[in-house]
């Protein structure tokens, strides 16, 4: 593949247009806003780094129609920075773009403990430096995120009681975490072919947690009532 040297400028969403890449012949042409070509970034499906032995210092944009477009940088550091910025701009899901729902109560047997792990791709988020392939595990009270390269390395976790809302699609799962989480509050989205199944597993775990807390509260109230009743019926002659 033959590369032609050029100057790229990333334009974010503004009143002047959608997010896009503008390609100029050189830096002077960019400063003068001379004739340039535009790549629309609103239909980007993925932003990746190819293997170094195939394309050195390169970044690949994959569009929704699966057509790729690649460009190479002067250094590996530049390529990594470009990739991170484009992932944030093109792949980060905004809260208004997702039909999130409150937890749905449905008739099912609630399991007390879930040990399933789902292989997912975490989209870039402003709340975390990490993005990419990982394993999402559901336990009885927590969502755990594990490194795929080092299965024993926990990246972060979210208590189920801290989830404000969550939603799903055929190929994604997302949730909004509260500010008491280690990551802080924010929206986290995962690409997965098991979005529907993952959603229901999380919902089951959340409902089981709520049911357990309600049972404990009722038991505590019941114990307190019985204690007060016993105390109030003690004959005065025994005091």
């Amino acid at each position: 593949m033959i590369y032609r040297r050029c100057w790229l400028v990333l334009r974010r969403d503004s009143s002047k247009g959608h997010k896009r890449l503008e390609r100029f012949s050189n830096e002077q042409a960019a400063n003068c806003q001379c004739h340039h070509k535009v790549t629309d970034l609103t239909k980007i499906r993925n932003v990746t780094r190819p293997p170094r032995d195939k394309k050195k210092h390169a970044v690949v944009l994959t569009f929704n129609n699966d057509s790729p477009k690649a460009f190479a940088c002067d250094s590996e550091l530049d390529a990594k920075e470009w990739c991170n910025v484009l992932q944030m701009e093109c792949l980060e899901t905004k809260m208004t773009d997702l039909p999130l729902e409150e937890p749905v109560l449905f008739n099912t047997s609630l399991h007390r403990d879930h040990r399933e792990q789902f292989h997912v791709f975490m989209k870039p988020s402003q709340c975390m430096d990490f993005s990419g392939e990982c394993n999402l595990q559901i336990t009885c009270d927590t969502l755990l995120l594990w490194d795929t390269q080092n299965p024993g390395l926990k990246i972060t976790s979210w208590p189920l009681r801290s989830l404000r809302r969550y939603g799903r699609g055929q190929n994604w799962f997302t949730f909004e975490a509260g500010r008491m989480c280690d990551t802080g509050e924010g929206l986290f989205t995962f690409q997965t072919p098991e979005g529907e199944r993952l959603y229901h597993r999380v919902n089951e775990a959340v409902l089981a947690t709520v049911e357990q807390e309600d049972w404990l509260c009722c038991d505590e109230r019941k114990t307190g009532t019985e204690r007060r009743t016993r105390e109030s019926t003690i004959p005065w002659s025994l005091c």
Side-chain angles (χ1 to χ4, degrees), residues 209-225:
T209 301
V210 172
E211 184 184 74
Q212 177 70 10
E213 290 180 352
D214 289 345
W215 181 84
L216 290 174
C217 290
C218 289
D219 186 63
E220 184 178 348
R221 288 195 297 268
K222 181 180 178 181
T223 302
T225 302

Side-chain angles (χ1 to χ4, degrees), residues 3 8 10 21 47-52 55-61 69-88:
Y3 286 91
L8 291 179
L10 172 63
L21 274 182
V47 180
T48 56
R49 295 290 313 284
R52 297 183 185 180
K55 295 179 181 179
K56 192 175 181 181
H57 310 327
V59 178
V60 178
L61 304 177
K69 181 173 289 189
F71 65 88
C73 303
D74 289 334
S75 67
E76 189 66 20
L77 183 62
D78 287 343
K80 184 177 180 180
E81 185 176 356
W82 265 104
C83 186
N84 289 339
V85 171
L86 287 171
Q87 284 180 341
M88 290 293 294

